[in-house]
């Protein structure tokens, strides 16, 4: 018998320089033993509130900023999470995570934006025994590329001037490249703990490819 838990939430959230009401749907579906599918959908429209300021440069030039009513940078209107997982045994679990972020603005004047994107993760966790746990995680297994976040120094650029920067180098951040991480966790009972090794995680990182 399929087990479904569904919740719908309307929340007033306080964001930087403004606020928004966002709607969230969360569902957890367990169609058969060992399998779980977590679904999350969020719709929001955060805007700046009373965001007006100016910058005076050394040559006397004044740059005006009025972002009131603009969408807050780096926050998507639509966020989707799809997280299937399956417990092969009580000690062995495989999982994946697909996260969608809709268009995000890269500066407070909303002159630049990044298209929507997917971020993907997957892995396997194995509890070998009470002292040892192993895991392997694949980041960006669809090997997508692209930019995200904000663009440094672009706060004063208006929509009407944005096209003049086509072809210019600009600084920002990017989607994490295809990466494989291997990790091992070693733990000891209280009676056998070494003072220098208590609660230590031993983790090795193997990056198969970087773009």
């Amino acid at each position: 018998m399929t087990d479904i838990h569904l919740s719908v939430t309307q929340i007033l959230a306080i964001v930087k320089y403004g606020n928004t009401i966002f709607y969230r749907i969360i569902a957890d579906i367990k169609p058969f033993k060992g399998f779980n599918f977590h679904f999350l959908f969020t719709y929001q429209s955060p805007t700046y509130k009373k965001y007006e300021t100016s910058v005076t440069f050394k040559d006397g030039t004044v740059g005006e900023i009025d972002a009131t009513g603009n969408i807050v940078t780096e926050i998507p209107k639509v966020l989707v999470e799809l997280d299937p997982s399956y417990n092969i045994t009580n000690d062995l679990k495989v999982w994946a995570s697909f996260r969608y972020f809709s268009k995000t603005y890269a500066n407070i004047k909303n002159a630049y934006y990044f298209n929507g994107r997917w971020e993907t993760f997957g892995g396997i966790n194995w509890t070998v025994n009470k002292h040892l746990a192993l895991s392997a995680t694949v980041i960006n297994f669809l090997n997508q590329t692209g930019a995200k976040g904000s663009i440094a120094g672009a706060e004063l650029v208006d929509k009407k001037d944005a096209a003049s920067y086509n072809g210019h180098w600009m600084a920002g951040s990017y989607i994490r490249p295809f990466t494989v991480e291997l990790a091992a966790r070693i733990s000891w009972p209280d009676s056998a703990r070494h003072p220098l090794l208590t609660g230590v995680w031993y983790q090795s990182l193997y990056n198969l490819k970087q773009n």
Side-chain angles (χ1 to χ4, degrees):
M1 182 176 180
T2 301
D3 184 13
I4 301 176
H5 297 278
L6 177 66
S7 66
V8 180
T9 308
Q10 175 180 314
I11 301 175
L12 173 63
I14 306 300
V15 296
K16 188 176 182 182
Y17 306 118
N19 56 56
T20 183
I21 293 178
F22 69 86
Y23 299 89
R24 174 169 291 173
I25 299 174
I26 301 174
D28 286 288
I29 304 172
K30 298 179 181 179
F32 53 87
K33 183 179 179 180
F35 182 83
N36 181 73
F37 181 79
H38 174 76
F39 168 80
L40 181 146
F41 173 86
T42 300
Y43 176 81
Q44 58 194 352
S45 185
T47 57
Y48 290 109
K49 184 178 181 180
K50 296 181 181 179
Y51 193 125
E52 300 176 13
T53 187
S54 62
V55 179
T56 303
F57 297 95
K58 291 182 178 180
D59 62 359
T61 303
V62 178
E64 300 288 342
I65 299 177
D66 183 0
T68 302
N70 288 352
I71 301 296
V72 176
T73 58
E74 303 185 43
I75 299 181
K77 282 190 173 183
V78 175
L79 174 63
V80 178
E81 293 184 10
L82 307 173
D83 302 317
S85 64
Y86 179 65
N87 289 307
I88 301 173
T89 68
N90 290 335
D91 302 318
L92 188 62
K93 176 181 178 180
V94 292
W95 60 274
S97 181
F98 304 82
R99 300 177 185 177
Y100 174 74
F101 303 83
S102 65
K103 179 176 76 173
T104 56
Y105 287 99
N107 75 331
I108 60 177
K109 288 194 172 184
N110 291 174
Y112 298 113
Y113 66 87
F114 298 119
N115 291 324
R117 69 185 190 279
W118 284 93
E119 294 187 5
T120 54
F121 310 84
I124 183 168
N125 301 333
W126 179 28
T127 302
V128 181
N129 53 48
K130 63 181 180 180
H131 301 302
L132 177 63
L134 304 176
S135 65
T137 302
V138 181
I139 299 170
N140 191 9
F141 56 74
L142 295 181
N143 199 28
Q144 293 186 306
T145 59
K148 66 175 185 177
S150 60
I151 297 176
E155 290 80 5
L156 297 177
V157 179
D158 292 304
K159 292 180 180 179
K160 60 182 177 62
D161 300 321
S164 63
Y165 290 87
N166 286 343
H168 289 248
W169 288 97
M170 306 188 80
S173 56
Y174 58 91
I175 298 173
R176 190 171 175 182
F178 177 89
T179 305
V180 175
E181 294 180 351
L182 305 176
R185 182 186 181 185
I186 302 173
S187 59
W188 298 265
D190 291 340
S191 60
R193 284 183 178 175
H194 188 287
L196 297 180
L197 299 177
T198 301
V200 171
W201 277 77
Y202 291 91
Q203 180 169 334
S204 60
L205 171 63
Y206 180 46
N207 191 341
L208 291 181
K209 179 180 179 181
Q210 279 199 326
N211 294 322

